[in-house]
Amino acid sequence: MTDSSNGAGRFAPSPTGEFHVGNLRTAMLAWLFARSSGRGFLLRVEDLDRVRAGSEEIQREDLAAVGVTFDPPLLRQSEEQGRYAEALQSLDRRGLLYECFCSRKEIAAAIEEAASAPNGGPGAHAPALYPGTCRDLSASERERRRERLAEQGRRPALRIAADVRTWAVDDELCGRTETPVDDFVVQRNDGAFAYNLVSVVDDAFTGVDQVVRGDDLLDSAGRQAWLAGVLGLPVPSYAHVPLALNAEGRRLAKRDGAVTLRQLSERLGSTEAVVGLILDSLQLPGGPRTLEQALDVFTPSRVPREPWVFTA
Ligand code: GLU
């Protein structure tokens, strides 16, 4: 737990590789939001999945180099499994979970079918949402499908039976935003606890009451805020910041050229120059050159609402 009584923000990278400047910019913004409101700032390593050896160290070095500092404790999700299991059990005890036997292919087909149903079936306006195929299976059907999966050495995923279709969050930058809530997976069929569950549990456990992250995750905010309520946990405030895009208007990626801190420091001559470049994109008054200087002039409401087009 953080001992900050003023709440906390966080940055929660997945250690899947080296950051690019867009990731660093999001981290810097999350830090500015937290520090400018007197909050603590925590690092959470989302290492339940797709971990690349050495990434955590490189990411932490980069964050330190651009001035993003953290308060203890550092949380690694791989070390927190007991808490996720407890949350899952509490949902299960309340009868809110069901087994899902669908393969990806079956889900895609069910979504397509629902979307093409006459009068716009339940999936018509939300084609990416799980249409609830396994929600009402009989006990004997579940048993049969469980056995069939077991024969293939597989097991079902667990989904939460949502009693809403959407949930609204008040986002500091995007305004009141209603996002979909389907029967999302809380435990995957490989046994891993799913992102939405662990994120909600971790934020509450560490006293995080402010979530600032890329706006590619805005769609998850409704599910997470709703789940927090179901688990009896406080709902944090949200601010989803625009992402960095490449010259073609697509999300910036490593293949776009010199986009990592190392590559850009070499090209521009110093790390400080890269920090300056990122800070320039925030259009802060006075043109601060360091994150500490930026803190003096940062106002959340004046964060640019347009994506940052970065041409490497
Ligand atoms: N681990 C996620 C990512 O790297 C961020 C999750 C979050 O901020 O809620 O995109």
Side-chain angles (χ1 to χ4, degrees):
M1 286 270 202
T2 173
D3 56 6
S4 165
S5 50
N6 294 329
R10 47 72 155 183
F11 187 57
S14 309
T16 53
E18 203 171 338
F19 289 137
H20 57 61
V21 276
N23 306 129
L24 290 170
R25 180 180 190 256
T26 300
M28 288 161 75
L29 276 167
W31 185 93
L32 287 167
F33 266 84
R35 298 294 190 210
S36 65
S37 58
R39 287 178 165 87
F41 194 60
L42 304 175
L43 176 63
R44 169 161 95 229
V45 182
E46 302 214 325
D47 60 350
L48 290 182
D49 201 17
R50 298 179 298 129
V51 174
R52 187 179 298 174
S55 292
E56 180 192 319
E57 291 68 27
I58 295 183
Q59 291 184 345
R60 287 173 64 185
E61 269 172 41
D62 284 4
L63 291 165
V66 299
V68 172
T69 52
F70 295 100
D71 298 309
L74 161 75
L75 185 145
R76 275 187 205 91
Q77 290 184 329
S78 59
E79 295 163 3
E80 304 292 329
Q81 312 258 4
R83 226 178 7 255
Y84 312 138
E86 260 173 49
L88 200 75
Q89 279 157 17
S90 84
L91 295 171
D92 196 27
R93 275 196 300 274
R94 291 160 63 191
L96 293 175
L97 303 184
Y98 66 86
E99 293 160 304
C100 175
F101 305 92
C102 297
S103 64
R104 273 169 208 248
K105 220 164 128 189
E106 284 165 337
I107 293 175
I111 287 172
E112 203 164 304
E113 195 183 322
S116 63
N119 308 322
H125 302 293
L129 305 181
Y130 181 69
T133 317
C134 291
R135 186 165 175 161
D136 297 315
L137 298 180
S138 66
S140 58
E141 179 65 8
R142 279 204 302 274
E143 185 58 39
R144 199 178 64 76
R145 299 196 60 169
R146 213 178 282 135
E147 277 168 18
R148 210 163 70 195
L149 275 193
E151 280 162 19
Q152 303 161 15
R154 292 166 54 210
R155 55 187 265 180
L158 286 179
R159 290 184 181 272
I160 185 158
D163 57 359
V164 296
R165 303 287 294 165
T166 60
W167 198 255
V169 298
D170 288 309
D171 188 280
E172 228 174 309
L173 296 177
C174 308
R176 191 164 178 80
T177 309
E178 202 158 291
T179 65
V181 180
D182 61 351
D183 290 355
F184 55 91
V185 170
V186 287
Q187 187 174 30
R188 299 182 338 198
N189 61 10
D190 62 1
F193 298 104
Y195 161 64
N196 285 312
L197 177 80
V198 298
S199 184
V200 165
V201 169
D202 283 342
D203 283 338
F205 177 74
T206 52
V208 165
D209 64 348
Q210 181 191 58
V211 170
V212 179
R213 59 189 175 190
D215 63 10
D216 54 329
L217 289 167
L218 180 59
D219 225 31
S220 301
R223 289 186 182 91
Q224 292 175 6
W226 173 78
L227 180 61
V230 170
L231 285 166
L233 302 173
V235 178
S237 67
Y238 293 98
H240 288 85
V241 303
L243 293 181
L245 305 182
N246 66 14
E248 282 88 50
R250 280 194 298 274
R251 195 192 300 189
L252 191 67
K254 250 61 88 10
R255 63 178 169 276
D256 288 320
V259 293
T260 67
L261 185 59
R262 253 153 227 83
Q263 292 166 330
L264 280 168
S265 300
E266 205 162 295
R267 176 180 286 188
L268 301 179
S270 67
T271 301
E272 290 72 26
V274 185
V275 171
L277 183 83
I278 297 174
L279 290 175
D280 284 344
S281 80
L282 303 181
Q283 300 165 26
L284 296 164
R289 296 292 88 192
T290 66
L291 199 53
E292 282 291 343
Q293 286 170 10
L295 187 55
D296 293 335
V297 289
F298 179 75
T299 317
S301 61
R302 291 181 53 189
V303 169
R305 307 300 160 97
E306 296 301 313
W308 179 36
V309 178
F310 181 81
T311 37

